Amino acid sequence: MLSGILGRFRVASAIHLRAATARADKFKARTAALKQQLHAARDEAAQWKQQAAAAMREAKRWKGKDAGHLDELATLRDKFQRLQQAEQIIALTRGHLLTMETKLDVLEGAITVLDRRTRDHLEHETTEPSVEPLVTAKPS
């Protein structure tokens, strides 16, 4: 009955007042803890933002290095292709040189044979007064 009368005048009992005060203190403590967590989360988010910015700068630096390496790789690829072409030209030139040396050897052999024949013929002419034809026809 006392609570009904107090309720009509909007007055709370001491028990209800203590319980409400305890709940308010509990909520204040919970609010303070949540505020601390919020500040900690904001600080952590700021740290993550800084780390992300640093990572982005590092990524840009590596992209720049990567672009430099790609340019260098393209240059090396061009040099390698020119080297392959030069090696092909050298191999072809060596083949031509070998062919020319072979032809010169054949010419040298032919000159040597002609020289011997000429010397033999001249020696034969000086020892014999009669002249023999160089090419004799065979009777058929």
Side-chain angles (χ1 to χ4, degrees):
M1 180 158 148
L2 182 63
S3 64
I5 296 171
L6 292 176
R8 286 186 186 155
F9 292 110
R10 302 207 185 242
V11 177
S13 68
I15 295 173
H16 285 114
L17 182 61
R18 276 187 238 136
T21 305
R23 279 195 319 247
D25 290 341
K26 184 178 171 184
F27 287 137
K28 284 180 185 178
R30 177 82 173 131
T31 303
L34 289 174
K35 282 183 180 180
Q36 286 179 347
Q37 287 179 352
L38 178 63
H39 288 301
R42 283 182 180 165
D43 291 343
E44 188 176 356
Q47 288 176 350
W48 280 109
K49 283 181 184 179
Q50 289 175 351
Q51 288 179 357
M56 291 299 287
R57 286 191 302 270
E58 188 70 14
K60 284 181 183 178
R61 186 176 72 84
W62 279 103
K63 282 182 183 178
K65 279 187 176 183
D66 190 37
H69 290 305
L70 289 176
D71 291 342
E72 185 178 339
L73 182 62
T75 303
L76 289 175
R77 188 181 312 122
D78 291 342
K79 286 181 181 180
F80 180 71
Q81 288 174 348
R82 284 186 288 188
L83 179 63
Q84 284 181 326
Q85 289 173 348
E87 287 176 347
Q88 290 173 350
I89 291 170
I90 288 172
L92 184 63
T93 304
R94 283 184 179 152
H96 288 306
L97 180 62
L98 183 61
T99 303
M100 293 300 291
E101 286 177 349
T102 304
K103 288 179 180 179
L104 287 174
D105 287 344
V106 169
L107 286 174
E108 183 182 7
I111 290 171
T112 303
V113 168
L114 183 60
D115 184 50
R116 280 189 197 150
R117 284 184 183 174
T118 304
R119 288 178 193 245
D120 287 346
H121 182 68
L122 288 176
E123 286 177 8
H124 190 61
E125 266 186 13
T126 56
T127 57
E128 287 186 19
S130 65
V131 177
E132 292 183 21
L134 289 176
V135 178
T136 56
K138 291 184 181 178
S140 352

